[in-house]
Amino acid sequence: MIEGPEDIPKTVNRTEAFHRIIPPEEIKYLQGICHSRYIKKNDFFIKQGDTLSPMAIINKGLFRVYCVDYEGNDKTLAFRKEEQFLSGYTPILKNQPIWYSIQALEDSLISYIEFEQYSTLLKKNFCWVELSHHYVIGLFMEKEERERSLLMDDALTRYRNFTQTFPDYTNRISQYHIASYLGITPSSLSRIRANSKNN
C-alpha cells in the first residue's frame, strides 16, 4: 500500500499507465513536489462549487463522487478506491465551478499536487500530457458504460454487474450509496439483494 509521496515509485509496478508512460526521472520529480493529506470519513476532497481542485492519488481509503439535484437529493456518480486518481476536471476543461463533490467514505490518505503544479508538469514533459489523456479516456469510457447501463439494463442486471465489477465494494459501501449509484431506492435494493440470495 502506498503511504505517502516517498512511496509513489511503488505505484509504477501496479499501474500499467504509469509504468508505460512516465520515465523514472519524472516519477522522482513528482515525488519531490507531492504532499500527503489525511481525510477523515465523511470529510471532503472537493465540494460542489469549488473553482480549483488538486490532482491526487488515493493511497488508502475510499471516496464517492456525487452531486445534489434540484430537490436536494444526492446522486452518486462514481466510487474511487486505492491507487485510483481523484480530481475535479470541470475547472480545467470549462473554467467553471465544480458541479459535484468528492467525499471520503472511509478514513483515507491521499498524495496530491496543487493545480498550478499540475499545470507545470504538463509543460515540463509531454509524458504528463499523455498520462492525463489516458486518464480522461478512462473516465469517458466509464461514463459511457454507466449511461448505457442506466438506459438499457434493469435494476437487477445493474446490481449484478456492480457486484461482479466491484466485488469488494459491497462490504465497504453502505446500501444507501450503492442504491444511489444504481439509480434505485434503498428499499428496492433490499428486495433485489433478497431475491438474489434466494435464486
Side-chain angles (χ1 to χ4, degrees):
M1 187 69 67
I2 311 162
E3 293 298 342
E6 69 277 3
D7 290 314
I8 284 176
K10 296 179 182 177
T11 312
V12 175
N13 295 325
R14 291 192 283 262
T15 307
E16 185 273 337
F18 255 112
H19 181 74
R20 179 172 53 85
I21 297 172
I22 308 300
E25 62 271 17
E26 289 298 316
I27 294 292
K28 185 176 181 180
Y29 178 82
L30 178 64
Q31 180 182 344
I33 65 173
C34 258
H35 310 280
S36 291
R37 178 183 169 193
Y38 177 74
I39 303 178
K40 292 183 179 180
K41 181 179 179 179
N42 296 324
D43 284 351
F44 291 86
F45 171 67
I46 57 173
K47 288 185 177 181
Q48 184 175 348
D50 286 351
T51 55
L52 286 177
S53 169
M55 308 293 291
I57 188 169
I58 303 170
N59 303 328
K60 181 180 180 182
L62 182 67
F63 292 80
R64 76 175 181 121
V65 184
Y66 75 96
C67 64
V68 178
D69 68 17
Y70 67 96
E71 295 180 335
N73 303 308
D74 66 70
K75 307 290 185 180
T76 299
L77 307 172
F79 299 104
R80 294 288 180 263
K81 63 177 182 177
E82 291 86 358
E83 297 171 18
Q84 290 186 315
F85 293 101
L86 284 180
S87 181
Y89 258 84
T90 306
I92 300 172
L93 299 177
K94 291 187 175 181
N95 194 30
Q96 295 177 356
I98 298 167
W99 59 276
Y100 50 84
S101 299
I102 301 180
Q103 181 184 39
L105 297 181
E106 301 172 350
D107 290 343
S108 302
L109 179 67
I110 63 171
S111 293
Y112 71 95
I113 58 175
E114 299 294 351
F115 175 75
E116 293 82 1
Q117 294 173 306
Y118 170 71
S119 298
T120 299
L121 278 181
L122 295 181
K123 298 173 184 176
K124 180 178 182 295
N125 192 309
F126 184 76
C127 67
W128 297 109
V129 177
E130 187 177 355
L131 182 65
S132 297
H133 181 68
H134 177 90
Y135 174 57
V136 171
I137 288 177
L139 291 179
F140 174 79
M141 292 174 64
E142 177 185 8
K143 178 177 181 292
E144 185 179 64
E145 173 55 27
R146 175 163 161 73
E147 290 174 347
R148 183 209 63 77
S149 182
L150 287 172
L151 291 171
M152 301 182 68
D153 294 337
D154 60 26
L156 176 58
T157 301
R158 295 201 298 274
Y159 174 71
R160 286 176 173 170
N161 289 341
F162 178 83
T163 57
Q164 291 171 4
T165 305
F166 311 109
D168 60 322
Y169 280 179
T170 55
N171 296 322
R172 300 176 68 182
I173 300 173
S174 71
Q175 181 169 295
Y176 175 85
H177 292 323
I178 293 175
S180 174
Y181 177 80
L182 297 175
I184 58 178
T185 64
S187 59
S188 295
L189 178 57
S190 295
R191 288 194 296 271
I192 289 171
R193 295 177 70 175
N195 291 335
S196 297
K197 292 178 181 178
N198 295 330
N199 293 335

